[in-house]
Amino acid sequence: MKCPFCNEENTRVIDSRPADDNCSIRRRRQCDKCKKRFTTYEKIEVIPLVVIKKDMNREPYNRSKIEAGVFSSCHKRPISVDSITAVVDDIETTIFNMDKSEINSNLIGEIVMDKLKELDPVAYVRFASIYREFKDANTFMDELKKILAN
């Protein structure tokens, strides 16, 4: 790290401690040449994830949208909040482990449906009915038959 006072490249870390609720590290440094001290902050560089919607518009990824969809699908079901949060965490981990800077909303929807199918079949059907835009009872029944076949 270059000294901001004399531009010397040799500086030492004197003290390190967490900052910003453990989201960064504050480092006190001292220049080997001029002996002046200064502070630096180290943060994780987060690559933003962009979601490509059905109409091809792009918007920033928003966890709360997935949470809202999962919570409404699980409404009045015997599923704990901890289980729902764990499913949302699992969905988010799956999405971010793809190492993509852009992801289709269709893919996110499929991931959510897969995770809900494991959690609760009723929550899965509720989510699928909105996500897949069932137009009539026949398409709804086709989806139910797929679940019952497994």
Side-chain angles (χ1 to χ4, degrees):
M1 178 68 63
K2 264 188 185 178
C3 173
F5 305 106
C6 69
N7 288 326
E8 174 68 25
E9 291 192 18
N10 293 327
T11 61
R12 280 185 280 141
V13 175
I14 298 170
D15 180 44
S16 289
R17 64 181 67 176
D20 299 331
D21 297 329
N22 287 329
C23 293
S24 64
I25 297 175
R26 177 185 179 270
R27 299 195 193 278
R28 285 295 292 159
R29 295 179 176 269
Q30 183 173 7
C31 176
D32 289 340
K33 183 178 177 186
C34 71
K35 304 293 185 206
K36 290 191 178 179
R37 293 183 177 189
F38 59 100
T39 303
T40 60
Y41 291 89
E42 183 179 316
K43 289 187 174 195
I44 295 173
E45 184 177 11
V46 180
I47 300 169
L49 180 63
V50 175
V51 177
I52 304 169
K53 306 297 281 182
K54 289 178 184 175
D55 63 1
M56 300 311 288
N57 281 332
R58 285 168 165 73
E59 64 180 46
Y61 168 78
N62 186 349
R63 177 188 168 102
S64 63
K65 288 188 176 187
I66 293 173
E67 284 176 327
V70 172
F71 268 99
S72 65
S73 298
C74 296
H75 184 67
K76 293 189 178 182
R77 297 294 303 151
I79 304 168
S80 70
V81 173
D82 289 341
S83 296
I84 293 171
T85 303
V87 165
V88 174
D89 289 343
D90 195 19
I91 292 165
E92 193 169 62
T93 299
T94 303
I95 291 168
F96 281 102
N97 282 344
M98 294 178 160
D99 285 333
K100 295 182 178 183
S101 59
E102 292 187 334
I103 186 169
N104 276 320
S105 61
N106 293 344
L107 182 55
I108 293 173
E110 294 296 327
I111 293 167
V112 172
M113 285 195 304
D114 287 345
K115 301 298 181 185
L116 282 176
K117 193 183 287 188
E118 296 169 14
L119 180 68
D120 183 74
V122 173
Y124 164 76
V125 171
R126 285 178 177 171
F127 187 87
S129 68
I130 293 168
Y131 174 73
R132 292 220 171 113
E133 300 173 349
F134 294 157
K135 301 290 185 223
D136 56 28
N138 289 333
T139 53
F140 191 78
M141 287 303 295
D142 291 342
E143 194 65 35
L144 286 175
K145 287 176 187 173
K146 287 180 195 173
I147 293 173
L148 294 174
N150 291 334

